[in-house]
Amino acid sequence: MDRAALVEAARESIAKGSKSFAAASTLFAPAVRERAWLLYAWCRRCDDLVDGQDHGHDRVVVSDARERVAQVRAMSEAALRGEETGDPAFDALGVVAAETRLPARYVHDLIDGFQLDADDWMPRSEDDLYRYCYHVAGAVGCMMAIVMGVPPEDEATLDRACDLGLAFQLANIARDIEEDDRVARCYLPVEWLVEMDMPPGQHMKPPFRDRLVVLARRLATRAARHEASARVGAKALSFRSAWAVLAAAGIYGDIARTVAARGRHAWDHRVTTGKAAKLAWIARAAVQAARRGAIADVPRDPGLWTRGR
C-alpha cells in the first residue's frame, strides 16, 4: 500500500476505534492529522492483537498473549527498520517514524506495556500504577507530541505530553473497572485495595461498591492533576495542535469527571462523552488555544509522577 492508502486505512481505524480521538484529530493541520492517524492505527492494531479485540471492543481472554506481544514486537521493529510488514497498521508506523525522527525507545516502551498485560501483571503500589500508565499511554503522549513537531530532545514539553497520556489512562482505568474485571484484570493497586479492606479480585462485589467509589474518585483526582499539568505544555504547540490537544484533554477529562460524579452508578453503563459535549469542548479549546501565549510558565509539579529518562 502506498502512503495515501495507509492514511485512508488509518482514518477508517480511528473512526471505528475512537470517536473522541477522531473528533479531536480533525483540528490538526492536515500533515499532522495524517501522521496522528498513522500512529493511532499502529497503537490500535497492537492493542487489538494483544487483547483479542476489535478496535477496542468485545475484548476476550486470550491464551497466547505472550506470543502475540512477541509478534507485535517483531513487526514493529521491522517497520522501524523501514521494511514492509504486510500489515497496513505496522507499515503506518514505519512511515510516521521516518517522517518525524520518532525515537524507537517510545515504541519499545509501549510494547513493554503490552508485555505487562501478557504477564498478568497487577500493580502493587501507586508507583506501579503510574509506571503501567506510562507504558500504555504516557509513551503515546510523547510520540504524539513528536508527531506535532516537538523536538525529541525537548524533554520538558514531552513530560507535559506524557502527563496527558497519564490523565487519559487514569480516566480509562476508572471507567473500565467493571469491564476489566470481566476479563480477570484489575489495575487498582493492591495497596489501595488493602487500604479499603477489599480482597483483590472481589472489588466488584456489591458490598464493596461504596469503597470502590472512593478509589474511582481518587483516580479521577489524579487524572485531573496530570490534565492540568499537560495543559501548560500546549503553549509549546502551534495553534491547531494546541486546539486538538486541549479539546482532547477536555473530552477525556469529562470521562473521569463523570465517573466520579456517578458514584455507585459509574459502571451501570459505559461512560462516554456525547456529541454535544465534544462540540462544546472543541469550541472552548479554540479559545484556549488562541490564548495559549498567556498560559503561565508554571513549573511542573514535582509531586507528580515523572517518567524515566
Side-chain angles (χ1 to χ4, degrees), residues 1-11 29-39 84 88 91-100 147:
M1 297 175 68
D2 61 16
R3 189 183 188 283
L6 291 175
V7 168
E8 177 57 22
R11 185 196 65 78
V32 175
R33 180 167 60 243
E34 289 185 355
R35 289 170 179 163
W37 287 347
L38 292 169
L39 181 63
E84 291 188 11
D91 290 344
L93 170 66
V95 170
V96 74
E99 292 180 356
T100 63
V147 163

Side-chain angles (χ1 to χ4, degrees), residues 234-251:
K235 190 169 185 175
L237 304 176
S238 68
F239 167 74
R240 292 195 63 169
S241 290
W243 186 11
V245 165
L246 293 169
I251 291 167

Side-chain angles (χ1 to χ4, degrees), residues 130 166-168 170-171 218-228 256:
Y130 278 116
L166 296 176
F168 287 178
L170 290 166
R218 183 180 296 178
L219 288 168
T221 299
R222 304 291 196 274
R225 291 180 64 200
H226 283 281
E227 178 189 340

Side-chain angles (χ1 to χ4, degrees), residues 174 209-210 212-214 216-217 256-268:
R209 186 55 59 96
D210 288 337
L212 189 63
V213 169
V214 172
R217 287 176 174 163
R257 288 183 279 271
T258 301
V259 168
R262 284 188 181 179
R264 292 175 57 90
H265 301 288
W267 307 282
D268 292 352

Side-chain angles (χ1 to χ4, degrees), residues 15 31-32 36 42 61 76-77 103 138 143 161-162 182 197 203 210 216 226 249 267-268 282 294 308:
V32 175
W42 170 72
V61 177
S76 298
E77 290 176 353
M143 288 189 277
C162 180
R182 277 191 269 129
D197 197 21
H203 54 281
D210 288 337
H226 283 281
W267 307 282
D268 292 352
I282 288 171

Side-chain angles (χ1 to χ4, degrees), residues 3-243:
R3 189 183 188 283
L6 291 175
V7 168
E8 177 57 22
R11 185 196 65 78
E12 293 174 358
S13 177
I14 194 173
K16 186 174 181 181
S18 177
K19 291 182 173 58
S20 294
F21 192 16
S25 73
T26 62
L27 308 180
F28 286 126
V32 175
R33 180 167 60 243
E34 289 185 355
R35 289 170 179 163
W37 287 347
L38 292 169
L39 181 63
Y40 174 89
W42 170 72
C43 294
R44 177 76 275 153
R45 179 69 171 137
C46 292
D47 203 23
D48 286 348
L49 280 173
V50 173
D51 279 345
Q53 59 190 4
D54 179 15
H55 288 82
H57 307 295
D58 305 318
R59 187 167 67 184
V60 297
V61 177
V62 300
S63 61
D64 59 344
R66 289 187 177 90
E67 289 80 2
R68 290 170 181 245
V69 173
Q71 176 189 3
V72 163
R73 196 180 299 277
M75 293 180 70
S76 298
E77 290 176 353
L80 290 174
R81 292 193 298 268
E83 301 171 10
E84 291 188 11
T85 67
D87 186 308
F90 286 92
D91 290 344
L93 170 66
V95 170
V96 74
E99 292 180 356
T100 63
R101 295 194 301 124
L102 182 70
R105 62 167 288 198
Y106 296 118
V107 172
H108 298 151
D109 284 348
L110 177 58
I111 297 172
D112 288 344
F114 297 135
Q115 187 69 58
L116 290 172
D117 279 333
D119 292 339
D120 292 325
W121 175 90
M122 181 177 178
R124 294 197 59 81
S125 65
E126 187 168 333
D127 185 73
D128 287 344
L129 168 66
Y130 278 116
R131 182 165 61 90
Y132 175 77
C133 289
Y134 166 72
H135 279 292
V136 300
V140 178
C142 293
M143 288 189 277
M144 278 297 303
I146 292 167
V147 163
M148 286 182 263
V150 174
E153 302 78 24
D154 185 353
E155 300 286 4
T157 301
L158 294 182
D159 278 342
R160 303 288 187 169
C162 180
D163 281 329
L164 190 58
L166 296 176
F168 287 178
Q169 189 61 27
L170 290 166
N172 282 341
I173 289 172
R175 177 188 62 187
D176 296 341
I177 290 173
E178 189 274 336
E179 287 184 30
D180 289 331
D181 183 65
R182 277 191 269 129
V183 291
R185 285 187 182 172
C186 178
Y187 298 105
L188 298 171
V190 172
E191 290 180 359
W192 287 10
L193 297 175
V194 171
E195 172 194 343
M196 301 303 295
D197 197 21
M198 289 193 293
Q202 302 297 310
H203 54 281
M204 284 305 301
K205 300 293 184 183
F208 302 124
R209 186 55 59 96
D210 288 337
R211 301 177 210 181
L212 189 63
V213 169
V214 172
L215 296 186
R217 287 176 174 163
R218 183 180 296 178
L219 288 168
T221 299
R222 304 291 196 274
R225 291 180 64 200
H226 283 281
E227 178 189 340
S229 177
R231 287 178 174 275
V232 177
K235 190 169 185 175
L237 304 176
S238 68
F239 167 74
R240 292 195 63 169
S241 290
W243 186 11

